[in-house]
Amino acid sequence: MLFPLAINTVLSVIAFIATNHLIPNLKDMFIKANVFGIDMSKRDKVKIPESMGVVTGSMYLVVSFLFIPFPFTEHILSDSKGAQFPHNEFVELISALLSICCMILLGFADDVLDLRWRIKLLLPTIASLPLLMVYYVNFNSTTVIMPNIVRQFVGHSLNIGFLYYIYMGMLAVFCTNAINILAGINGLEVGQSLIIALSIVTFNFVEIFLGRGDQCHPFSLYMLLPYIGTTYALWLHNKYPSKVFVGDTFCYFSGMTFAVVAILGHFSKTVLLFFIPQVINFLYSVPQLFHFIPCPRHRLPKYNPSTDNLEVSQTTFRYHELHPLGKVAVSIFRHLRLIKWEEKDSIVTTNNFTLINFVILKCGSMREDRVTWILMGIQVLCTGVAFMIRYPLAGYFYNY
């Protein structure tokens, strides 16, 4: 494991250097091709190249393709390679890269064509099919270990069959879109993804140190170290004040990479623990995402040019015209003081239901970079909570 891991680390450093060099050199090309956006949270409305995640994803694929032979060098050089070559591991690596490649392609198509939300939910499902097929052929394990509290009712484990594949497909959809809806301010998409990747890598090393270093953890490291290298280079250009935008391409690329290591690494529940802020943001956003409450096309914070600060963005509606589930949601949120409620002439005004707006609501108007750092701090804090759940608490509930 040490030799391929060392090669992978070196390639990751090369990927960082190459990506950091390519991004500024390709900016004009993207603007010339009309792939650009305007930063609505700045006084100066200049053209900023969009969809730079395709550069990051492409460099990741190049480095990963170059790395393919190294985990299998010993078997390739062996005289008896035909009998001992780990075909299952090789197919896992190829299928993982195929799914990520498909997701980058589909993400770039979304950036260019501005697809509808229902299509965005379908794209990760399609891209995850190679993963699910390889999982079926190599493992086909659909048994779930049950916690102590329910073992007396359902036994030590439960085989959920085809439902497990539905769960894994939904995991790919969630990972990609959860990053995509907690986004919109400089450095946030890339910053949260970088912290999640570092959290998973830390988990892999802890497991290896504890003597649980089976093939799934080196595989995860092989997938994530180049990702960290390319993503860190992108973050340097996307952080405040942003010189490039990452686009949906990066969100889909990141989400699929995390789904790959979760599914083929066999620690999907642990990966979900590192998505605690994204889960909270999703649950908070549900009333608007499902249109129980009016949802504007963009729920980004409102920029105040006079103060150069971000303020909460708002939505308006008539309470009696809401969907019944919308009425329940706003009543709960209002009771828990999760939203700002203003009512005048039977018209209600509240903040948009996103974690970004919630942070501004509770902390007050502030500059964009400070909002990003607070949210990244929440991500780090939740990583600590995730490790507490994964080790002390999981040992209590599962007896290990």
Side-chain angles (χ1 to χ4, degrees):
M1 184 187 81
L2 292 179
F3 173 70
L5 188 59
I7 296 295
N8 188 270
T9 303
V10 172
L11 288 174
S12 300
V13 174
I14 294 173
F16 162 75
I17 296 171
T19 306
N20 191 42
H21 176 75
L22 278 174
I23 289 175
N25 288 333
L26 293 176
K27 288 169 58 177
D28 292 339
M29 181 186 297
F30 276 67
I31 293 175
K32 186 177 180 179
N34 288 324
V35 184
F36 64 85
I38 303 296
D39 195 334
M40 303 306 295
S41 298
K42 301 291 187 300
R43 292 192 182 99
D44 299 327
K45 306 302 180 183
V46 298
K47 295 179 179 179
I48 298 180
E50 180 71 85
S51 195
M52 275 292 171
V54 73
V55 178
T56 306
S58 299
M59 184 52 61
Y60 172 87
L61 289 175
V62 169
V63 168
S64 297
F65 290 159
L66 292 174
F67 176 71
I68 288 175
F70 292 100
F72 313 102
T73 302
E74 179 181 350
H75 303 283
I76 293 173
L77 298 178
S78 172
D79 293 335
S80 55
K81 60 184 178 183
Q84 298 179 0
F85 190 84
H87 294 91
N88 289 352
E89 296 173 14
F90 180 75
V91 170
E92 283 182 28
L93 181 60
I94 298 300
S95 68
L97 294 177
L98 174 60
S99 290
I100 293 172
C101 183
C102 290
M103 202 68 256
I104 294 171
L105 173 63
L106 295 173
F108 189 66
D110 182 21
D111 280 333
V112 174
L113 301 176
D114 194 20
L115 302 176
R116 294 177 178 271
W117 262 104
R118 62 177 68 95
I119 304 298
K120 293 183 179 184
L121 295 177
L122 183 63
L123 297 182
T125 305
I126 296 173
S128 66
L129 291 179
L131 287 180
L132 300 182
M133 191 63 200
V134 168
Y135 186 91
Y136 175 78
V137 172
N138 284 359
F139 307 102
N140 196 26
S141 175
T142 56
T143 300
V144 179
I145 304 299
M146 306 305 294
N148 297 334
I149 194 171
V150 298
R151 285 181 183 176
Q152 59 180 325
F153 305 107
V154 297
H156 180 271
S157 60
L158 180 66
N159 190 341
I160 60 175
F162 186 70
L163 291 176
Y164 195 78
Y165 289 91
I166 295 177
Y167 157 72
M168 290 190 291
M170 292 177 64
L171 177 68
V173 174
F174 172 77
C175 288
T176 53
N177 287 284
I179 294 173
N180 199 23
I181 64 175
L182 183 55
I185 59 177
N186 292 175
L188 183 56
E189 299 100 308
V190 187
Q192 64 179 303
S193 300
L194 196 56
I195 293 170
I196 292 171
L198 290 170
S199 302
I200 300 173
V201 166
T202 302
F203 165 71
N204 294 143
F205 279 118
V206 169
E207 289 292 289
I208 293 171
F209 178 78
L210 293 176
R212 304 169 188 163
D214 55 10
Q215 182 56 34
C216 67
H217 296 295
F219 169 82
S220 176
L221 292 173
Y222 299 156
M223 301 302 296
L224 287 178
L225 291 181
Y227 172 84
I228 291 172
T230 55
T231 300
Y232 180 61
L234 181 60
W235 181 78
L236 292 178
H237 297 274
N238 182 242
K239 66 179 182 178
Y240 183 91
S242 179
K243 303 177 185 66
V244 300
F245 291 151
V246 299
D248 288 344
T249 308
F250 175 79
C251 298
Y252 291 160
F253 160 52
S254 298
M256 185 53 67
T257 303
F258 298 142
V260 161
V261 299
I263 294 171
L264 296 183
H266 311 291
F267 46 81
S268 58
K269 294 187 292 294
T270 300
V271 169
L272 281 177
L273 288 176
F274 297 128
F275 276 79
I276 291 176
Q278 288 72 27
V279 171
I280 294 172
N281 182 64
F282 172 74
L283 295 176
Y284 188 44
S285 300
V286 160
Q288 286 191 306
L289 292 179
F290 290 92
H291 295 282
F292 300 144
I293 294 170
C295 181
R297 178 170 175 78
H298 296 292
R299 300 183 296 164
L300 299 177
K302 183 173 63 176
Y303 175 65
N304 187 336
S306 63
T307 61
D308 197 31
N309 286 344
L310 296 182
E311 301 173 352
V312 293
S313 60
Q314 299 175 328
T315 184
T316 60
F317 52 85
R318 295 182 183 274
Y319 181 79
H320 68 276
E321 296 177 354
L322 286 181
H323 187 282
L325 292 177
K327 292 180 179 179
V328 172
V330 295
S331 297
I332 294 174
F333 286 179
R334 186 182 180 187
H335 178 73
L336 296 175
R337 298 184 179 181
L338 298 178
I339 57 176
K340 181 180 179 181
W341 182 278
E342 297 177 352
E343 188 170 357
K344 183 178 181 181
D345 299 330
S346 73
I347 297 178
V348 176
T349 301
T350 70
N351 57 284
N352 283 309
F353 297 1
T354 68
L355 190 57
I356 302 174
N357 279 304
F358 179 76
V359 166
I360 299 173
L361 178 65
K362 294 302 179 182
C363 298
S365 174
M366 67 187 85
R367 209 172 72 167
E368 185 175 4
D369 55 336
R370 188 180 174 195
V371 180
T372 301
W373 283 113
I374 290 175
L375 288 165
M376 289 176 65
I378 292 173
Q379 187 81 49
V380 172
L381 180 63
C382 289
T383 293
V385 173
F387 275 108
M388 287 184 61
I389 295 173
R390 177 59 181 82
Y391 288 103
L393 292 181
Y396 176 77
F397 283 103
Y398 289 92
N399 287 338
Y400 64 83

